[in-house]
Amino acid sequence: MTDFMISQIQSQSGVGLFCLIAVFFYVGLITIGGGQVAITVMQQVLVDQFHLIDDAFFFNMVAISESTPGPIGINIATYIGTELYGVWGGFFSTLGEVLPSLICIIIIAKFFGKFAEKKGVKAAFSTLRPAVSGVIAVAAVKIIIIALFIVREGFLLSSPSTWNDNIQIYGISAIFYLICLSVLFRTKIHPVFLVAAGAVFGVIFC
């Protein structure tokens, strides 16, 4: 089934558009914890499972989506849909991404008040928080690797023996990253200015 969906999406057929909606509906359905979790989920589904795009292209879209208004998961869905199928592709992929959340929030809004104080519900949320934090941490590590390191073929994050020969720090980006961290922690400057500075920095130096 997966191979059929991949072939239809890549051929940009009418059936492929429905397959794309199904892919993003699936992503939206299993993304629990917000936009940063969506990065990890989308990377696994779109890059590793369906091979619609490669890692570099995906994280370029992450950078664009983080730099523009709106939830990152929706931005990425719109971007990929538009890239593959034009405006209608962007519309339907976005619809597929938000539909599970829309359905869930309507149900929660109707019934959550009756169950919010139940011990089981409280226990579920207490364990969801660290799980979601872990998924966000994975996304953060992957973005840092792509942004600050030159990664050669053969590198595996899960295999330290591949690190020395297949990964090299990108010095100028690392310096800029540390400067941004310092500015964020030491000043009250709005992050949007650092994002804009990053765009200018990339155009000039990268």
Side-chain angles (χ1 to χ4, degrees), residues 1 7-8 14 33 42 57 77-78 92 103-104 135 154 177 181 194:
M1 185 64 179
S7 63
Q8 292 298 316
M42 284 186 166
F57 188 75
T78 305
F92 284 113
I103 295 170
C104 288
V135 177
Y177 172 74
L181 277 184
L194 294 179

Side-chain angles (χ1 to χ4, degrees), residues 12-180:
Q12 298 183 357
S13 65
V15 175
L17 181 58
F18 286 100
C19 292
L20 189 67
I21 296 171
V23 169
F24 280 103
F25 185 90
Y26 170 67
V27 170
L29 187 64
I30 65 174
T31 300
I32 299 173
Q36 302 308 315
V37 176
I39 296 174
T40 300
V41 174
M42 284 186 166
Q43 195 267 342
Q44 291 177 345
V45 174
L46 301 176
V47 179
D48 298 337
Q49 183 178 351
F50 285 90
H51 308 290
L52 297 181
I53 51 178
D54 59 27
D55 272 317
F57 188 75
F58 175 74
F59 284 107
N60 283 341
M61 287 194 296
V62 170
I64 293 171
S65 299
E66 287 277 32
S67 305
T68 52
I72 184 170
I74 294 176
N75 289 350
I76 292 176
T78 305
Y79 192 103
I80 292 178
T82 304
E83 186 75 16
L84 293 174
Y85 284 92
V87 174
W88 284 111
F91 173 80
F92 284 113
S93 61
T94 303
L95 180 64
E97 172 72 16
V98 303
L99 201 54
S101 299
L102 184 62
I103 295 170
C104 288
I105 202 65
I106 290 173
I107 296 172
I108 289 172
K110 185 171 180 60
F111 298 107
F112 185 70
K114 299 178 182 179
F115 302 101
E117 299 304 317
K118 299 285 186 180
K119 289 184 178 180
V121 175
K122 289 184 176 180
F125 278 103
S126 68
T127 52
L128 270 176
R129 285 190 287 268
V132 168
S133 298
V135 177
I136 293 173
V138 170
V141 169
K142 288 183 177 180
I143 291 174
I144 288 172
I145 289 174
I146 292 294
L148 303 183
F149 296 89
I150 301 170
V151 181
R152 299 184 179 90
E153 187 175 353
F155 169 78
L156 291 173
L157 182 62
S158 58
S159 178
S161 62
T162 66
W163 294 5
N164 288 336
D165 297 330
N166 297 294
I167 189 167
Q168 178 182 350
I169 192 166
Y170 192 41
I172 192 166
S173 292
I175 292 171
F176 183 75
Y177 172 74
L178 293 174
I179 291 172
C180 288

